[in-house]
Amino acid sequence: MSIIFQGARLLSPADNLDTSASLKVSVSGVIEALATGNESIVSNGDDRVVDLGGKLIVPGLFDMHCHFRDPGQEYKETLATGSAAAAAGGFTGVALMPNTRPVIDSPLGVAYIRHHSAELPIDLEVVGAMTVESRGETLAPFGKFRSYGVKAISDDGTAIQNTQIMRLAFEYASNFDLLIIQHCEDKTLTQGGIMNEGRFSAILGLKGIPDAAEAITLARDLQLMRYLQKHKLHDPLNPPRYHVAHISTKAALDLVRQAKAEGLQITCEVTPHHFTLTDEDLFRAEAKGNFIMKPPLCSSENRQALLDAIADGTIDVIATDHAPHAAHEKECPPDQAAFGITGLETSVGLTLTELTSKGVIPLSRAVEMLSVNPRKIMHLYPIRFSEGETANFTVIDPDLEWTVARENLHSRSLNTPFIGRILKGKAIGICHRGRYIENP
């Protein structure tokens, strides 16, 4: 039985489409027919018909920065519960960071995730560790990663502090055209820090994290890229590709702008919590655990810089940094709280509420940042809307107002600061692998 999606607004920037449309998808997940404008698709009687009433169909959303905690910390999240949260948030695919227990620093870890995710409703891309156990001392086997289909490497949660090791990582990754995803943090400046260093950390008496720590590490890495491209990594070798995870400061954004203008292959992502909240929100919160993350919630000046960079195209991707933690790891004094929050199920709502509804970016740009760009940066197959192509899309109701409620979340962990927040815009379903999963 095929599924006919009628009366949708099809928004696909890669296809230069923004039109009313209907789609027919086969049981094998292939687009059998596409009708645009006033055209329609006639059901043969056995088809399931879904009337979308003008709701959006967009290329399946992809989150290139997630933590599912499996293997090793399944009490926080499993591959199954994380995938359920992703599907509920409108994501048809995610990239999993390697800082599990044990760290995904060998093909064995990649094989584990591939085996246990074969029947899940979304695609899981595995990001391999840059160094063994992410200790920043010995490079992981990049070549073996590549042979297992890994497309990116990262020591997310930390950054390689040794500059020589980082240089070798650039050179080794370039041989296999692997994307380096860097968590930019000079740990000599941030050790013991809880929140953004500034007025509010001083009032609370919490050790601060100076925002310069992000730009210092990024500046070092960019200098290495410049040096290597001039002296070693040039034709016929691949130039290094570098992606800044969860960027949060104006100083770092200025470095990215300059590097892009020079032609370096650099991209960056922002999280919804960083473009929505500031360190003042942490200061005013009664329960502070769910406002503790790395990089920390920034100052209002840095938040405005993020919004400006989203608007001008400096920031390429919106990624959640979905980081589930158990209640006891958050419901504790701030200086004992684990870093990070969940984000898959609130990403679309926050993006539409804080960015498109407020005129920061149009809907088409939001779709690029949530779907098109992360897939392009990860060198994944692009999603196209035409007959014979694989159906992979998200259905979004941009006008739906809803309240974030604990009982409606699918993640195993509930560590989000947005409980009780009213959002406008929600993913109401995904079509992937021949299945249509509706979200209530």
Side-chain angles (χ1 to χ4, degrees), residues 154-346:
S154 179
D155 275 355
D156 186 53
T158 185
I160 294 176
Q161 303 296 298
N162 184 307
T163 303
Q164 172 64 3
I165 299 296
M166 192 65 217
R167 170 189 171 153
L168 294 175
F170 272 121
E171 295 184 10
Y172 196 15
S174 180
N175 281 308
F176 302 102
D177 196 25
L178 290 169
L179 174 71
I180 286 179
I181 301 176
Q182 182 72 295
H183 169 119
C184 294
E185 178 187 357
D186 185 328
K187 297 188 75 171
T188 63
L189 287 173
T190 65
Q191 189 171 7
I194 306 301
M195 64 176 294
N196 180 59
E197 184 175 271
R199 173 174 167 237
F200 295 114
S201 65
I203 295 173
L204 292 172
L206 295 175
K207 182 173 175 56
I209 296 174
D211 62 16
E214 182 175 78
I216 287 171
T217 296
L218 176 56
R220 177 205 66 177
D221 291 352
L222 292 175
Q223 284 298 99
L224 283 172
M225 288 182 72
R226 293 183 182 102
Y227 176 82
L228 291 171
Q229 285 198 206
K230 180 177 180 181
H231 296 283
K232 191 168 186 179
L233 300 181
H234 47 72
D235 288 338
L237 298 175
N238 296 307
R241 295 189 298 121
Y242 184 90
H243 181 79
V244 186
H246 42 52
I247 199 165
S248 67
T249 64
K250 181 180 185 301
L253 288 166
D254 288 342
L255 290 171
V256 170
R257 285 191 182 93
Q258 180 182 347
K260 286 188 172 188
E262 294 173 26
L264 295 181
Q265 293 199 70
I266 180 171
T267 52
C268 63
E269 71 190 35
V270 66
T271 72
H273 47 275
H274 282 111
F275 66 63
T276 300
L277 304 172
T278 69
D279 55 355
E280 184 174 358
D281 291 291
L282 186 156
F283 171 72
R284 298 191 182 282
E286 183 175 343
K288 302 190 184 303
N290 286 338
F291 293 80
I292 302 290
M293 67 252 333
K294 269 193 179 180
L297 292 175
C298 57
S299 65
S300 58
E301 292 81 6
N302 277 324
R303 175 179 176 267
Q304 185 57 52
L306 292 174
L307 293 173
D308 293 341
I310 291 169
D312 69 21
T314 300
I315 295 177
D316 306 274
V317 168
I318 295 170
T320 67
D321 193 8
H322 178 80
H325 293 292
H328 71 273
E329 296 167 314
K330 284 294 194 177
E331 295 172 2
C332 55
D335 60 351
Q336 298 175 25
F339 291 104
I341 65 170
T342 58
L344 284 164
E345 296 175 78
T346 53

Side-chain angles (χ1 to χ4, degrees), residues 123-142:
D123 299 323
L124 300 186
E125 292 291 329
V126 184
V127 177
M130 272 202 284
T131 61
V132 175
E133 297 182 352
S134 291
R135 292 181 179 271
E137 299 169 354
T138 305
L139 293 181
F142 293 4

